[in-house]
């Protein structure tokens, strides 16, 4: 039987089911839901027709009430709009569950990019041994971050999980009950989650998804590629930022870091305990029954008291399981050996830490803490630093920090920021002592600009907690375009510093360097951010190889293309030989966690794609470095795009437009996450202080998606007008890197809808600015179609395009309500007498409308 096209599979298994189950949802016997379900299609139709006719959101909302609900009072109208939003949120959940349920049907779980495909390709080309060699040294690390842009509470996540299963099993009775439960379950969080709450939310994915998908992938590689032999490399591991990411989050404390580490250890031991119980039901033979019973007993005690390291060590657990495995082979015909080996594999992957807890802080915060620490030490009579330290040049300070020795007395410090920062370093040591070195062994410095930034942290770690041996990797994060250009110079200074070089040698001569797509895009625009990171990786690879250091690139990616998201695996498959590729490391956050890794099927599929992309980059003989001609064109496009974006960013209306015409200031009111929406403490909105999530997210709510395309069209136009467009076409056809950039930008354009804000063109203050954005959108869209030869955006991804179109259609009424409310607020704020109560009502409407759009987009921030 032939396999149907992907779009057909999508339409049959997603679209059709959504239409059926949504019709059931609309007829549920709840008074408010029934009325809303009847009226929402009429409102949706009004929105579609209204925007086609060029109407503004206010006219659309008012005409709906005039035509269908003329008797409603103003208060009743507002209440209905709130109910529309609540209903749409649940429609998004329903669509999520249906799409998750259909994932293994719509996607080819054994097709290109999967491990089976990789294995068969290597086998057919007589490269199996080479594949094994690469897998012995290659790693993928995904890092779950403290950027929660998905607001579903635990109860709703549970419904999504159960609904997905019920849909897969076509259990109509259960589906009906779950839809009823969905209709009655609150979505809105009335209080902001703490950093610990955020950690608990993400630990759910570790416990219920990654534990199994990681294990399944590793088992497959061991059994099918290595013929059941032991693999020295763990291949997959997972990082964790909630509870450790202090960059701009004043609520994260050392105590929370320790608490999160304990919870991670307790959770992985709980999973081991469950596995031991399952094995106990199978291992009922002489010589193994008693051993597995003792393991189960000790794991239970360890789960209850995670701090007591005397109950069972990781080494003891592994040793006992290996003895059980040997006994099964020798005396019991290898019965259940595969299950025991699978348990051993999970222990190898997760240890007693489950996920590696990273610590992160901004270099500017470190500098202030370090200065305060030095001043306090000098005042106390300590001889660790010379009295004139602060007046020395950076080079002289680095020289002193390289040789610094001693231990500081923590009791002499009083400042809250100093104590929090220094105690976080003490916490790393404590976590290593309790959960193993892998549990916390990396410190990321955000906004790293100089060698001094790294050496300040190097000295603090040694003075505060690691007096004998520094078992922490320091990872500088380069973000702005300028910092990316200078990154290799900073690293060369570090590589040639004797003290730092000796530290690297003790860490296996491996250096983690983080590169930030989010702030890079915010700083330099879409094309230049991606190109600057690509070129920085080339320069960093060259300088690292020169000093015999293996550089490990850690990409700070968000969900949307504007933040390094989109078709992530294609980036790693297109890097070529000039960029070190021993590991793929990237951040996963917000809706990207649930959309790409929320189920066992999607998690396994996307993890396999990442593994295959990294390996493919090495196996592929044709994946050569970018040609000189293509490099010139790519560099020129990036430079033109940069100038276009910077001019746009420096427009006097840029910040006022975001502040007054977008949802930017409402992100801080959503109770989605605990972190502030900007870094600075000033009341005034300063562009540099803006965090990437609300910045990119606000453009997404406006359906303008500026960070994903602005400047691209103008760059292409230069070549088009000069009659040299064939050079860009040649670049597109020969460079997988550029092709991926273009396709991801198409996704940003596909999620744009300028009819929503077309009314802004007539605004006396912001009309010209809106027209600049719209003109660049139209220019970019037209030239991308010309470049690709497509008639429509995302033409080569019909299923992906269909998914976007359905999601955008679901939230169209919600976005209309949002714009209606924003316009009302603007009117009320201009009134001679401000009606504060009315303003509060419309502000609540705006804030409430953010959630459904955030979740429907799946990669909006």
């Amino acid at each position: 039987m032939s396999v149907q096209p992907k779009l057909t599979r999508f339409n049959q298994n997603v679209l059709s089911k959504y239409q059926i189950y949504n019709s059931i949802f609309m007829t549920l016997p709840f008074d408010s839901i029934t009325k809303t379900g009847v009226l929402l299609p009429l409102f949706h139709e009004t929105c579609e027709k209204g925007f086609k006719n060029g109407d503004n959101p206010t006219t659309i909302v008012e005409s709906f009430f005039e035509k269908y609900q003329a008797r409603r009072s103003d208060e009743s109208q507002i209440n209905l709009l709130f109910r529309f939003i609540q209903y749409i949120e649940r429609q998004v959940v329903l669509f999520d569950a249906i799409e998750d349920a259909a994932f293994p049907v719509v996607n080819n779980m054994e097709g290109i990019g999967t491990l089976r495909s990789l294995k068969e390709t290597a086998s057919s080309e007589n490269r199996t041994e080479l594949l094994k060699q690469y897998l012995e040294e290659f790693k993928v690390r995904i890092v779950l971050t403290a950027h929660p842009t998905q607001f579903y509470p635990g109860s709703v996540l549970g419904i999504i999980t159960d609904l997905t299963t019920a849909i897969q099993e076509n259990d109509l009775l259960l589906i009906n009950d779950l839809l009823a439960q969905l209709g009655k379950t609150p979505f809105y969080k009335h209080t902001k989650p703490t950093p610990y709450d955020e950690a608990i939310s993400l630990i759910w994915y570790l416990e219920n998804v990654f534990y199994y998908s990681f294990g399944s992938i590793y088992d497959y590689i061991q059994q099918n590629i290595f013929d059941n032999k032991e693999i020295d490399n763990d291949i997959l591991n997972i990082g964790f930022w909630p509870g450790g990411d202090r960059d701009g989050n004043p609520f994260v404390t050392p105590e929370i870091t320790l608490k999160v580490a304990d919870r991670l250890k307790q959770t992985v031991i709980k999973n081991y305990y469950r596995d031991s119980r399952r094995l106990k039901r199978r291992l009922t033979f002489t010589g193994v029954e008693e051993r597995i019973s003792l393991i189960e007993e000790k794991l239970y005690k360890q789960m209850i008291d995670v701090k007591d390291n005397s109950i069972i060590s990781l080494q003891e657990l592994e040793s006992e399981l290996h003895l059980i495995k040997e006994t099964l082979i020798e005396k019991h015909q290898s019965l259940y050996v595969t299950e025991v080996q699978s348990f051993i594999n999970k222990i190898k992957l997760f240890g007693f830490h489950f996920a590696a807890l990273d610590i992160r802080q901004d270099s500017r915060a470190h500098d202030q803490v370090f200065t305060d620490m030095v001043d306090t030490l000098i005042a106390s009579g300590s001889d660790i630093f010379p009295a004139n330290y602060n007046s020395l040049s950076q080079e002289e300070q680095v020289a002193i920090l390289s040789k610094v020795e001693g231990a500081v007395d923590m009791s002499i410090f009083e400042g809250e920021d100093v104590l929090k920062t220094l105690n976080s370093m003490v916490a790393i040591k404590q976590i290593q002592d309790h959960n193993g070195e892998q549990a916390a062994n990396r410190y990321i410095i955000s906004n790293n600009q100089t060698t001094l930034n790294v050496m300040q942290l190097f000295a603090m770690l040694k003075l505060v907690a690691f007096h004998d041996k520094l078992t922490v990797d320091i990872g500088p994060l380069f973000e702005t375009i300028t910092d990316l250009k200078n990154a290799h110079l900073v690293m060369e200074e570090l590589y040639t510093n004797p003290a730092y070089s000796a530290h690297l040698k003790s860490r296996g001569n491996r250096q983690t360097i983080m590169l930030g797509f989010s702030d890079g895009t915010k700083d330099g625009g879409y094309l230049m951010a991606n190109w600057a990171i690509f070129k920085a990786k080339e320069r960093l690879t060259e300088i690292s190889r020169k000093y015999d250091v293996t550089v490990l690139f850690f990409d700070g990616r968000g969900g949307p293309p504007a933040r390094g998201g989109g078709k992530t695996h294609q980036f790693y498959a297109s890097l070529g030989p000039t960029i070190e590729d021993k590991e793929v490391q990237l951040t996963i956050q917000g809706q990207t966690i649930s959309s790409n890794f929320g189920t066992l099927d999607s998690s396994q599929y996307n993890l396999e794609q990442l593994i295959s992309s990294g390996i493919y980059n090495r196996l592929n003989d044709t994946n050569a470095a970018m040609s000189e001609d293509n490099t010139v064109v790519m560099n020129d496009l990036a430079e033109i795009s940069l100038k276009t974006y910077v001019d746009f960013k420096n427009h006097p209306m840029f910040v006022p437009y975001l502040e007054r015409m977008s949802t930017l200031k409402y992100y801080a009111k959503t109770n989605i996450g605990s972190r502030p929406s900007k870094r600075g403490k000033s009341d005034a909105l300063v562009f540099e202080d803006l965090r990437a999530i609300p910045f990119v997210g606000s453009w997404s709510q406006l359906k303008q998606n500026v960070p994903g395309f602005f400047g691209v069209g103008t760059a292409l136009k230069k070549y088009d007008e000069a009659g040299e467009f064939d050079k860009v076409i040649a670049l597109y056809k020969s460079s997988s890197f550029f092709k991926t950039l273009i396709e991801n930008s198409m996704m940003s354009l596909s999620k744009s809808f300028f009819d929503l804000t077309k009314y802004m063109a007539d605004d006396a203050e912001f009309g010209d600015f809106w027209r600049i954005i719209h003109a660049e959108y139209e220019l970019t869209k037209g030239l991308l179609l010309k470049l690709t030869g497509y008639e429509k955006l995302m033409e080569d991804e019909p299923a992906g395009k269909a998914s976007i179109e359905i999601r955008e259609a679901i939230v169209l009424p919600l976005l209309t309500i949002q714009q209606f409310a924003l316009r009302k607020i603007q009117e009320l704020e201009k009134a001679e007498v401000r009606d504060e109560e009315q303003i509060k009502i419309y502000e609540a409407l705006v804030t409430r409308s953010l959630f459904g759009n955030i979740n429907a987009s799946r990669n909006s921030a």
Side-chain angles (χ1 to χ4, degrees), residues 208-246:
N208 296 287
V209 181
F210 291 113
Y211 182 77
Y212 300 100
S213 59
F214 272 44
S216 177
I217 289 170
Y218 195 85
D219 289 349
Y220 180 90
I221 292 172
Q222 185 182 60
Q223 292 165 17
N224 295 279
I225 298 176
F226 285 85
D227 299 320
N228 289 310
K229 293 183 177 67
E230 291 288 330
I231 313 170
D232 292 332
N233 183 25
D234 58 9
I235 302 172
L236 282 167
N237 55 58
I238 194 160
F240 204 74
W241 275 17
D245 179 10
R246 295 179 162 71

Short mmCIF file of all heavy atoms in Angstrom, two decimals, residues 208-246:
data_model
loop_
_atom_site.label_atom_id
_atom_site.label_comp_id
_atom_site.label_asym_id
_atom_site.label_seq_id
_atom_site.Cartn_x
_atom_site.Cartn_y
_atom_site.Cartn_z
N ASN A 208 8.75 12.42 32.41
CA ASN A 208 7.75 11.71 31.62
C ASN A 208 8.07 11.55 30.14
O ASN A 208 7.46 10.72 29.47
CB ASN A 208 6.39 12.42 31.76
CG ASN A 208 5.87 12.38 33.17
OD1 ASN A 208 5.42 11.34 33.64
ND2 ASN A 208 5.94 13.51 33.88
N VAL A 209 9.02 12.33 29.64
CA VAL A 209 9.33 12.25 28.21
C VAL A 209 10.80 11.92 27.98
O VAL A 209 11.15 10.88 27.41
CB VAL A 209 8.96 13.56 27.48
CG1 VAL A 209 9.29 13.45 25.99
CG2 VAL A 209 7.48 13.88 27.66
N PHE A 210 11.71 12.81 28.41
CA PHE A 210 13.12 12.66 28.05
C PHE A 210 13.75 11.41 28.64
O PHE A 210 14.64 10.81 28.02
CB PHE A 210 13.91 13.90 28.47
CG PHE A 210 13.57 15.13 27.66
CD1 PHE A 210 12.93 16.21 28.24
CD2 PHE A 210 13.87 15.18 26.31
CE1 PHE A 210 12.61 17.33 27.49
CE2 PHE A 210 13.56 16.29 25.55
CZ PHE A 210 12.92 17.37 26.14
N TYR A 211 13.33 11.01 29.82
CA TYR A 211 13.87 9.79 30.43
C TYR A 211 13.69 8.60 29.49
O TYR A 211 14.59 7.76 29.35
CB TYR A 211 13.17 9.53 31.76
CG TYR A 211 13.68 8.32 32.52
CD1 TYR A 211 14.87 8.37 33.23
CD2 TYR A 211 12.96 7.13 32.54
CE1 TYR A 211 15.34 7.26 33.94
CE2 TYR A 211 13.41 6.02 33.23
CZ TYR A 211 14.60 6.09 33.93
OH TYR A 211 15.05 4.99 34.62
N TYR A 212 12.55 8.55 28.84
CA TYR A 212 12.22 7.42 27.96
C TYR A 212 12.77 7.61 26.55
O TYR A 212 13.29 6.67 25.95
CB TYR A 212 10.71 7.20 27.94
CG TYR A 212 10.17 6.90 29.31
CD1 TYR A 212 9.55 7.88 30.08
CD2 TYR A 212 10.32 5.63 29.88
CE1 TYR A 212 9.08 7.61 31.36
CE2 TYR A 212 9.85 5.34 31.16
CZ TYR A 212 9.24 6.34 31.90
OH TYR A 212 8.80 6.07 33.15
N SER A 213 12.66 8.83 26.00
CA SER A 213 13.13 9.04 24.62
C SER A 213 14.65 8.96 24.54
O SER A 213 15.20 8.38 23.59
CB SER A 213 12.63 10.38 24.07
OG SER A 213 13.07 11.47 24.84
N PHE A 214 15.36 9.52 25.51
CA PHE A 214 16.82 9.40 25.55
C PHE A 214 17.22 7.93 25.62
O PHE A 214 18.09 7.47 24.88
CB PHE A 214 17.39 10.13 26.77
CG PHE A 214 17.68 11.59 26.56
CD1 PHE A 214 16.79 12.40 25.89
CD2 PHE A 214 18.85 12.15 27.04
CE1 PHE A 214 17.04 13.75 25.70
CE2 PHE A 214 19.13 13.50 26.86
CZ PHE A 214 18.22 14.31 26.19
N GLY A 215 16.56 7.20 26.53
CA GLY A 215 16.88 5.79 26.71
C GLY A 215 16.62 4.99 25.46
O GLY A 215 17.42 4.13 25.06
N SER A 216 15.49 5.26 24.80
CA SER A 216 15.12 4.53 23.59
C SER A 216 16.13 4.76 22.47
O SER A 216 16.53 3.83 21.77
CB SER A 216 13.72 4.97 23.15
OG SER A 216 13.36 4.34 21.95
N ILE A 217 16.56 6.01 22.30
CA ILE A 217 17.53 6.34 21.25
C ILE A 217 18.87 5.66 21.53
O ILE A 217 19.49 5.07 20.64
CB ILE A 217 17.70 7.87 21.14
CG1 ILE A 217 16.44 8.49 20.53
CG2 ILE A 217 18.94 8.24 20.32
CD1 ILE A 217 16.40 9.99 20.60
N TYR A 218 19.32 5.75 22.77
CA TYR A 218 20.61 5.15 23.12
C TYR A 218 20.57 3.63 22.95
O TYR A 218 21.52 3.03 22.43
CB TYR A 218 20.98 5.52 24.56
CG TYR A 218 22.43 5.26 24.91
CD1 TYR A 218 23.40 6.22 24.62
CD2 TYR A 218 22.83 4.07 25.49
CE1 TYR A 218 24.73 5.99 24.91
CE2 TYR A 218 24.16 3.82 25.78
CZ TYR A 218 25.11 4.79 25.50
OH TYR A 218 26.43 4.56 25.78
N ASP A 219 19.45 3.03 23.37
CA ASP A 219 19.29 1.57 23.19
C ASP A 219 19.38 1.20 21.71
O ASP A 219 20.02 0.21 21.34
CB ASP A 219 17.94 1.10 23.75
CG ASP A 219 17.89 1.15 25.27
OD1 ASP A 219 18.96 1.34 25.91
OD2 ASP A 219 16.79 1.00 25.83
N TYR A 220 18.71 1.98 20.86
CA TYR A 220 18.71 1.69 19.42
C TYR A 220 20.13 1.74 18.86
O TYR A 220 20.56 0.86 18.11
CB TYR A 220 17.82 2.69 18.67
CG TYR A 220 17.79 2.43 17.17
CD1 TYR A 220 16.85 1.58 16.61
CD2 TYR A 220 18.74 3.01 16.33
CE1 TYR A 220 16.84 1.32 15.24
CE2 TYR A 220 18.74 2.76 14.96
CZ TYR A 220 17.78 1.90 14.43
OH TYR A 220 17.79 1.64 13.08
N ILE A 221 20.87 2.80 19.23
CA ILE A 221 22.24 2.95 18.72
C ILE A 221 23.10 1.78 19.18
O ILE A 221 23.86 1.19 18.39
CB ILE A 221 22.84 4.29 19.20
CG1 ILE A 221 22.11 5.46 18.51
CG2 ILE A 221 24.34 4.35 18.90
CD1 ILE A 221 22.48 6.83 19.05
N GLN A 222 22.97 1.43 20.46
CA GLN A 222 23.78 0.33 20.99
C GLN A 222 23.44 -1.01 20.31
O GLN A 222 24.33 -1.76 19.91
CB GLN A 222 23.59 0.22 22.50
CG GLN A 222 24.49 -0.83 23.15
CD GLN A 222 24.24 -0.93 24.64
OE1 GLN A 222 23.12 -1.24 25.07
NE2 GLN A 222 25.26 -0.67 25.44
N GLN A 223 22.15 -1.27 20.17
CA GLN A 223 21.72 -2.56 19.64
C GLN A 223 21.92 -2.68 18.13
O GLN A 223 22.33 -3.73 17.63
CB GLN A 223 20.24 -2.79 19.97
CG GLN A 223 19.97 -2.99 21.46
CD GLN A 223 18.50 -2.84 21.80
OE1 GLN A 223 17.64 -2.90 20.93
NE2 GLN A 223 18.20 -2.62 23.07
N ASN A 224 21.63 -1.61 17.39
CA ASN A 224 21.58 -1.71 15.94
C ASN A 224 22.81 -1.18 15.20
O ASN A 224 23.03 -1.53 14.04
CB ASN A 224 20.35 -0.96 15.42
CG ASN A 224 19.06 -1.61 15.86
OD1 ASN A 224 18.63 -2.58 15.26
ND2 ASN A 224 18.46 -1.09 16.92
N ILE A 225 23.59 -0.33 15.86
CA ILE A 225 24.79 0.19 15.21
C ILE A 225 26.05 -0.41 15.82
O ILE A 225 27.00 -0.73 15.12
CB ILE A 225 24.83 1.74 15.26
CG1 ILE A 225 23.61 2.31 14.50
CG2 ILE A 225 26.13 2.28 14.68
CD1 ILE A 225 23.47 3.81 14.56
N PHE A 226 26.02 -0.62 17.16
CA PHE A 226 27.20 -1.16 17.84
C PHE A 226 27.05 -2.64 18.21
O PHE A 226 27.85 -3.17 18.98
CB PHE A 226 27.50 -0.34 19.10
CG PHE A 226 28.12 1.00 18.82
CD1 PHE A 226 27.32 2.10 18.54
CD2 PHE A 226 29.49 1.17 18.81
CE1 PHE A 226 27.88 3.34 18.27
CE2 PHE A 226 30.06 2.40 18.54
CZ PHE A 226 29.26 3.49 18.26
N ASP A 227 26.01 -3.29 17.68
CA ASP A 227 25.81 -4.73 17.90
C ASP A 227 25.87 -5.12 19.38
O ASP A 227 26.53 -6.08 19.76
CB ASP A 227 26.86 -5.54 17.12
CG ASP A 227 26.76 -5.30 15.63
OD1 ASP A 227 25.63 -5.20 15.12
OD2 ASP A 227 27.81 -5.16 14.98
N ASN A 228 25.20 -4.33 20.21
CA ASN A 228 25.06 -4.58 21.65
C ASN A 228 26.35 -4.41 22.45
O ASN A 228 26.41 -4.78 23.63
CB ASN A 228 24.48 -5.97 21.92
CG ASN A 228 23.01 -6.05 21.54
OD1 ASN A 228 22.22 -5.20 21.94
ND2 ASN A 228 22.65 -7.04 20.74
N LYS A 229 27.37 -3.84 21.84
CA LYS A 229 28.60 -3.60 22.59
C LYS A 229 28.48 -2.29 23.39
O LYS A 229 27.70 -1.41 23.05
CB LYS A 229 29.80 -3.50 21.63
CG LYS A 229 30.12 -4.80 20.91
CD LYS A 229 31.35 -4.65 20.03
CE LYS A 229 31.72 -5.98 19.37
NZ LYS A 229 30.74 -6.43 18.39
N GLU A 230 29.26 -2.19 24.46
CA GLU A 230 29.27 -0.98 25.28
C GLU A 230 29.80 0.20 24.47
O GLU A 230 30.73 0.05 23.67
CB GLU A 230 30.15 -1.18 26.52
CG GLU A 230 29.60 -2.18 27.53
CD GLU A 230 28.39 -1.64 28.29
OE1 GLU A 230 28.31 -0.41 28.49
OE2 GLU A 230 27.52 -2.45 28.67
N ILE A 231 29.20 1.37 24.68
CA ILE A 231 29.65 2.60 24.02
C ILE A 231 30.25 3.50 25.10
O ILE A 231 29.65 3.72 26.14
CB ILE A 231 28.48 3.34 23.34
CG1 ILE A 231 27.62 2.38 22.51
CG2 ILE A 231 28.99 4.48 22.48
CD1 ILE A 231 26.32 3.00 22.00
N ASP A 232 31.46 4.01 24.85
CA ASP A 232 32.11 4.86 25.85
C ASP A 232 31.43 6.22 25.96
O ASP A 232 31.44 6.86 27.01
CB ASP A 232 33.59 5.07 25.48
CG ASP A 232 34.38 3.78 25.61
OD1 ASP A 232 33.99 2.93 26.44
OD2 ASP A 232 35.38 3.61 24.88
N ASN A 233 30.81 6.65 24.88
CA ASN A 233 30.22 7.99 24.81
C ASN A 233 28.73 7.94 25.19
O ASN A 233 28.02 7.02 24.79
CB ASN A 233 30.39 8.51 23.38
CG ASN A 233 29.86 9.92 23.20
OD1 ASN A 233 29.79 10.69 24.15
ND2 ASN A 233 29.50 10.26 21.98
N ASP A 234 28.25 8.95 25.93
CA ASP A 234 26.82 8.94 26.28
C ASP A 234 25.94 9.50 25.15
O ASP A 234 24.72 9.34 25.16
CB ASP A 234 26.56 9.68 27.59
CG ASP A 234 27.04 11.12 27.59
OD1 ASP A 234 27.42 11.62 26.52
OD2 ASP A 234 27.04 11.75 28.66
N ILE A 235 26.52 10.19 24.18
CA ILE A 235 25.87 10.70 22.96
C ILE A 235 24.83 11.79 23.26
O ILE A 235 24.84 12.85 22.64
CB ILE A 235 25.22 9.57 22.11
CG1 ILE A 235 26.29 8.55 21.72
CG2 ILE A 235 24.54 10.14 20.86
CD1 ILE A 235 25.75 7.30 21.05
N LEU A 236 23.91 11.51 24.17
CA LEU A 236 22.85 12.47 24.51
C LEU A 236 22.98 12.91 25.96
O LEU A 236 23.17 12.07 26.84
CB LEU A 236 21.48 11.82 24.34
CG LEU A 236 20.88 11.66 22.94
CD1 LEU A 236 19.70 10.71 23.01
CD2 LEU A 236 20.43 13.00 22.39
N ASN A 237 22.88 14.18 26.20
CA ASN A 237 22.68 14.63 27.59
C ASN A 237 21.84 15.89 27.61
O ASN A 237 21.57 16.49 26.57
CB ASN A 237 24.00 14.78 28.35
CG ASN A 237 24.98 15.70 27.67
OD1 ASN A 237 24.68 16.86 27.42
ND2 ASN A 237 26.16 15.17 27.34
N ILE A 238 21.43 16.25 28.79
CA ILE A 238 20.46 17.34 28.90
C ILE A 238 20.92 18.35 29.94
O ILE A 238 21.43 17.98 31.00
CB ILE A 238 19.05 16.78 29.23
CG1 ILE A 238 17.97 17.84 29.02
CG2 ILE A 238 18.99 16.21 30.63
CD1 ILE A 238 16.59 17.25 28.86
N GLY A 239 20.78 19.63 29.58
CA GLY A 239 21.11 20.70 30.50
C GLY A 239 19.84 21.35 31.05
O GLY A 239 18.76 21.17 30.50
N PHE A 240 20.01 22.15 32.10
CA PHE A 240 18.84 22.70 32.80
C PHE A 240 19.19 24.08 33.33
O PHE A 240 20.19 24.25 34.02
CB PHE A 240 18.49 21.75 33.96
CG PHE A 240 17.07 21.82 34.41
CD1 PHE A 240 16.05 21.27 33.65
CD2 PHE A 240 16.73 22.42 35.62
CE1 PHE A 240 14.73 21.31 34.08
CE2 PHE A 240 15.42 22.47 36.07
CZ PHE A 240 14.41 21.90 35.28
N TRP A 241 18.37 25.07 32.99
CA TRP A 241 18.62 26.44 33.46
C TRP A 241 17.70 26.93 34.58
O TRP A 241 18.11 27.77 35.36
CB TRP A 241 18.53 27.41 32.28
CG TRP A 241 19.83 27.52 31.52
CD1 TRP A 241 20.88 26.66 31.58
CD2 TRP A 241 20.20 28.54 30.60
NE1 TRP A 241 21.89 27.07 30.76
CE2 TRP A 241 21.49 28.23 30.13
CE3 TRP A 241 19.57 29.67 30.11
CZ2 TRP A 241 22.17 29.03 29.21
CZ3 TRP A 241 20.24 30.46 29.17
CH2 TRP A 241 21.53 30.15 28.73
N PRO A 242 16.47 26.45 34.68
CA PRO A 242 15.62 26.96 35.78
C PRO A 242 16.28 26.70 37.13
O PRO A 242 16.69 25.59 37.43
CB PRO A 242 14.33 26.14 35.63
CG PRO A 242 14.31 25.73 34.22
CD PRO A 242 15.74 25.49 33.84
N GLY A 243 16.37 27.72 37.94
CA GLY A 243 17.01 27.59 39.25
C GLY A 243 18.48 27.90 39.22
O GLY A 243 19.11 28.06 40.27
N GLY A 244 19.07 28.01 38.03
CA GLY A 244 20.49 28.34 37.92
C GLY A 244 20.75 29.58 37.10
O GLY A 244 21.80 30.20 37.21
N ASP A 245 19.79 29.97 36.28
CA ASP A 245 19.94 31.13 35.39
C ASP A 245 19.64 32.41 36.18
O ASP A 245 18.48 32.75 36.40
CB ASP A 245 18.99 30.98 34.20
CG ASP A 245 19.08 32.16 33.25
OD1 ASP A 245 20.00 32.98 33.41
OD2 ASP A 245 18.23 32.25 32.35
N ARG A 246 20.69 33.12 36.57
CA ARG A 246 20.52 34.32 37.38
C ARG A 246 20.56 35.60 36.55
O ARG A 246 20.48 36.69 37.10
CB ARG A 246 21.64 34.39 38.42
CG ARG A 246 21.56 33.27 39.39
CD ARG A 246 22.67 33.27 40.43
NE ARG A 246 22.23 32.44 41.53
CZ ARG A 246 22.14 31.12 41.47
NH1 ARG A 246 22.48 30.49 40.37
NH2 ARG A 246 21.70 30.42 42.49
#
